[in-house]
Amino acid sequence: MLKVSHLTKKFGELVAVNDLSFHVAKGQIYGIAGPNGAGKSTIYNLITGNYPFEGEILFDGESIAGMPPHKIAQMGISRTFQVPETFSSLTVEQSVAVGAHFGDTDLFDPQRVDEIITFLELEADRDRMAGELNLLGNKKVMIGAALGTRPKMLLLDEPMAGSNANEIRALMALIRRINVEMGVTIIIIEHFMKVLTELTDKLLIIESGTRIAEGDPDKVTSDPEVIECYLGQAYAEDN
Amino acid sequence: MSATMALVFGIMAVLPLFVGGTAHMMHILIMCLIWAVVASCWDLIMGFAGIFSFGQVAFFVIGAYASAIFSIQLGIHPLAAMVLAGLVTAAAGVLVGLPCMRLKGAYIALVTFAVHMILEPFLKSGMGRALGTGGTRGILTIPPMELFGITFAADNKIAVFYAALALAVICSAIIMLVIRSSWGTAFLALKDSQDFAASLGVSAFKYKLAVFALTSFLTGLVGGFYAHYIGMLSTRLLGIDLFVMLMIMLVLGGIGQFPGAILGAIMTVIGNEMLAPLGAYRPLVLGALVVVLVLLLPDGIMGLLRSLVPHKVAEQVRQG
Ligand SMILES: Nc1ncnc2c1ncn2[C@@H]1O[C@H](COP(=O)(O)OP(=O)(O)OP(=O)(O)O)[C@@H](O)[C@H]1O
Ligand SMILES: [Mg+2]
């Protein structure tokens, strides 16, 4: 579904993404991990059309090079942001409707907004201003707006950051349901290894924009090189 | 929200019954309506779309000059000239908007205000004179609008007033419709977070350029109306006074609080008349007023009115 080949992004001298290739199959939950500054969010920014890049990104066989972000959203790639974004002038319902209105190329269907709000258990908050919600609420609205676009693929950028154990469990269940019930292919960037090993079908570890390992999550997390440059010895002993 | 608008225009509509005999009072009311449209357009682009455009007075002047020149040089009917002037101003708006697509916040303010700064020397230049701007002297004999055997000129203020009222109602209704449509939602979404909005399929380019085109079209149209009413034009309109007045209208009415801008315009024009005895101190008082208003009434009169009926706020916001 998503085929990334020899992707490279330089910011001046800094090579944020370095000759990276990977492939995400339809229906998968694909994980990406790596230390801070490894280039994870940059990969998302490239897939969603925020910067020009070297290499190739194919979505359903079509190159996204040169496409503006809104076109890519309409093609079926949706995302969340590492630092939650909200529309402070809009209500929760309106925020979800933005995705349904502009990101879905079909005719606007208000019922879809209702379905998403019910799916995310946001009924009680639907008429509240989006900026008034707590962190978990913000994340849900951001996911809801993304789902409004009727995406084929959803990119989640550290969805668990700042969440407690209960919230993490709830978000994991939610992500699984989006994948299974809505049939959305998912890429997830995450620092919590437990989340990645439980949730993902395939895991990519990068450092300094370069791939270190890719494959079955359990195998990848026991790879000596991954332990050395990302997970650390303590993690290996704990597991 | 539209109830506020209907009430304000309804009250305006009956005022000539009481002050119709006083030419000066009628002039003030006409100016209230003209500035109400200009301020509302500014609110649409700045308050809703979040684009810090400071070219609003410039667009008004472009529309006024264009309409005057079209009617004088080409001899076309003032009404047609007004519409053409609106289109010319919209084209100017798009031209100014294009470089703004790549800029943010204060930089847009600089670029758009540069247009304001360039306009006066341009109108006075040889190039301007060749177009018929009259250079430093300005344009002195602009034909008034004539329709259905009525002449909408300065000596027939009641007729001009009702024409201005009709124009203001139409323009405000257009602005209200835009705000309440999905376009209004797109503007707010882009203002709050452009990256988030774009990731949801909102084309920043399309909607930002569209808001430049629409607001400059309406502003230019009203500029044309002003030109045919007053009958003469000079670059004095580009002085700082008018710019500050317009700013007060918007801040007083509440930025992003449409139709607050209409209330703000009416109160500012009338208030400015009442401050006339202050003479040279008037600009000083007006300047101080901007500061005080921003500090005391961040959401303007409209925000104040809304906070008095809190249960309705969510409803109104939802309606755009
Ligand atoms: N727009 C930009 N301009 C310049 N440098 C950038 C830009 N975006 C990212 N970078 C740099 O690229 C590198 C990779 O950043 P990125 O945000 O992709 O890391 P990350 O893996 O998501 O890290 P984190 O875990 O902290 O979120 C960093 O060194 C960052 O400073
Ligand atoms: Mg990141």
Side-chain angles (χ1 to χ4, degrees), chain A residues 49-78:
Chain A
N50 288 286
Y51 311 115
F53 54 81
E54 295 162 50
E56 190 178 55
I57 301 176
L58 298 179
F59 181 66
D60 277 345
E62 201 179 328
S63 168
I64 61 121
M67 277 196 192
H70 72 273
K71 276 269 158 31
I72 291 172
Q74 288 163 356
M75 262 180 105
I77 302 181
S78 205

Side-chain angles (χ1 to χ4, degrees), chain A residues 50 69-70 73-74 77-79 81 85-90 93-95 98-99 101-103 127 129 141-142 145-146 149, chain B residues 181-186 188-205 207 314 317-320:
Chain A
N50 288 286
H70 72 273
Q74 288 163 356
I77 302 181
S78 205
R79 71 172 294 179
F81 294 82
E85 297 274 358
T86 43
F87 296 131
S88 53
S89 313
L90 302 181
E93 181 182 346
Q94 285 176 319
S95 303
V98 170
H101 226 122
F102 299 96
D127 290 330
M129 298 309 288
V141 173
M142 193 164 56
T149 67
Chain B
S181 71
S182 61
W183 284 54
T185 315
L188 289 176
L190 286 168
K191 175 179 77 161
D192 288 345
S193 170
Q194 184 163 326
D195 288 341
F196 187 22
S199 81
L200 297 172
V202 182
S203 165
F205 190 81
Y207 287 99
V317 168
R318 186 163 39 174
Q319 288 174 358

Side-chain angles (χ1 to χ4, degrees), chain A residues 11 14 16 34-43 45 51 82 157-158 191:
Chain A
F11 294 112
L14 179 89
N36 291 106
K40 305 181 296 294
S41 298
T42 302
I43 296 172
N45 289 335
Y51 311 115
Q82 184 170 351
D157 197 346
E158 299 195 20
H191 278 298

Side-chain angles (χ1 to χ4, degrees), chain B residues 276-292:
Chain B
L278 291 177
Y281 290 102
R282 181 158 68 172
L284 200 70
V285 174
L286 288 177
L289 211 60
V290 173
V291 177
V292 172

Side-chain angles (χ1 to χ4, degrees), chain B residues 160-233:
Chain B
V160 176
F161 172 82
Y162 282 106
L165 185 65
L167 191 62
V169 168
I170 292 169
C171 293
S172 307
I174 291 173
I175 291 171
M176 179 70 86
L177 283 177
V178 167
I179 289 173
R180 287 193 177 174
S181 71
S182 61
W183 284 54
T185 315
F187 292 155
L188 289 176
L190 286 168
K191 175 179 77 161
D192 288 345
S193 170
Q194 184 163 326
D195 288 341
F196 187 22
S199 81
L200 297 172
V202 182
S203 165
F205 190 81
K206 171 176 155 190
Y207 287 99
K208 286 185 162 184
L209 221 49
V211 81
F212 265 105
L214 177 66
T215 55
S216 46
F217 174 77
L218 295 178
T219 304
L221 190 73
V222 172
F225 183 87
Y226 170 85
H228 296 289
Y229 160 54
I230 298 286
M232 50 189 176
L233 284 175

Side-chain angles (χ1 to χ4, degrees), chain A:
Chain A
M1 178 170 243
L2 184 79
K3 195 161 177 295
V4 173
S5 316
H6 305 290
L7 185 66
T8 298
K9 178 67 198 174
K10 301 183 186 117
F11 294 112
E13 294 283 286
L14 179 89
V15 185
V17 179
N18 192 359
D19 194 28
L20 199 66
S21 300
F22 62 94
H23 175 248
V24 181
K26 188 169 159 49
Q28 263 184 341
I29 300 185
Y30 188 93
I32 301 178
N36 291 106
K40 305 181 296 294
S41 298
T42 302
I43 296 172
Y44 279 9
N45 289 335
L46 299 178
I47 297 173
T48 57
N50 288 286
Y51 311 115
F53 54 81
E54 295 162 50
E56 190 178 55
I57 301 176
L58 298 179
F59 181 66
D60 277 345
E62 201 179 328
S63 168
I64 61 121
M67 277 196 192
H70 72 273
K71 276 269 158 31
I72 291 172
Q74 288 163 356
M75 262 180 105
I77 302 181
S78 205
R79 71 172 294 179
T80 65
F81 294 82
Q82 184 170 351
V83 178
E85 297 274 358
T86 43
F87 296 131
S88 53
S89 313
L90 302 181
T91 63
V92 168
E93 181 182 346
Q94 285 176 319
S95 303
V96 175
V98 170
H101 226 122
F102 299 96
D104 188 350
T105 42
D106 293 342
L107 211 60
F108 175 61
D109 176 11
Q111 212 185 322
R112 173 154 183 83
V113 176
D114 291 337
E115 283 165 16
I116 291 168
I117 286 176
T118 311
F119 181 81
L120 295 170
E121 295 168 359
L122 283 168
E123 293 99 332
D125 296 322
R126 73 185 294 152
D127 290 330
R128 285 178 68 193
M129 298 309 288
E132 293 172 4
L133 270 55
N134 61 15
L135 180 65
L136 184 65
N138 277 338
K139 287 180 183 175
K140 280 187 174 181
V141 173
M142 193 164 56
I143 292 172
L147 291 177
T149 67
R150 209 189 288 270
K152 293 180 194 153
M153 174 173 268
L154 178 62
L155 316 180
L156 299 165
D157 197 346
E158 299 195 20
M160 307 302 170
S163 303
N164 64 34
N166 284 333
E167 291 167 345
I168 290 180
R169 225 165 292 132
L171 282 167
M172 281 175 70
L174 190 67
I175 291 167
R176 210 171 262 131
R177 284 182 61 205
I178 292 171
N179 179 241
V180 175
E181 293 174 24
M182 295 186 161
V184 178
T185 307
I186 290 173
I187 306 183
I188 176 171
I189 293 174
E190 197 39 80
H191 278 298
F192 289 97
M193 273 301 145
K194 265 252 157 34
V195 171
L196 290 174
T197 48
E198 276 187 41
L199 215 51
T200 64
D201 300 306
K202 211 171 181 187
L203 185 56
L204 169 70
I205 309 285
I206 60 169
E207 202 217 341
S208 308
T210 314
R211 162 215 199 111
I212 294 191
E214 193 206 28
D216 181 78
D218 290 318
K219 285 215 187 78
V220 166
T221 48
S222 52
D223 182 316
E225 199 183 346
V226 172
I227 292 171
E228 151 125 24
C229 67
Y230 177 47
L231 299 175
Q233 204 55 43
Y235 172 89
E237 280 162 12
D238 281 352
N239 288 270

Side-chain angles (χ1 to χ4, degrees), chain B residues 20-60:
Chain B
T22 323
H24 185 58
M25 292 292 253
M26 287 312 293
H27 174 71
I28 293 171
L29 292 182
I30 292 164
M31 293 318 291
C32 283
L33 292 167
I34 288 174
W35 294 133
V37 176
V38 180
S40 298
C41 285
W42 202 10
D43 192 31
L44 182 59
I45 192 164
M46 188 151 86
F48 284 85
I51 300 168
F52 283 84
S53 167
F54 281 77
Q56 203 58 25
V57 175
F59 292 137
F60 180 81

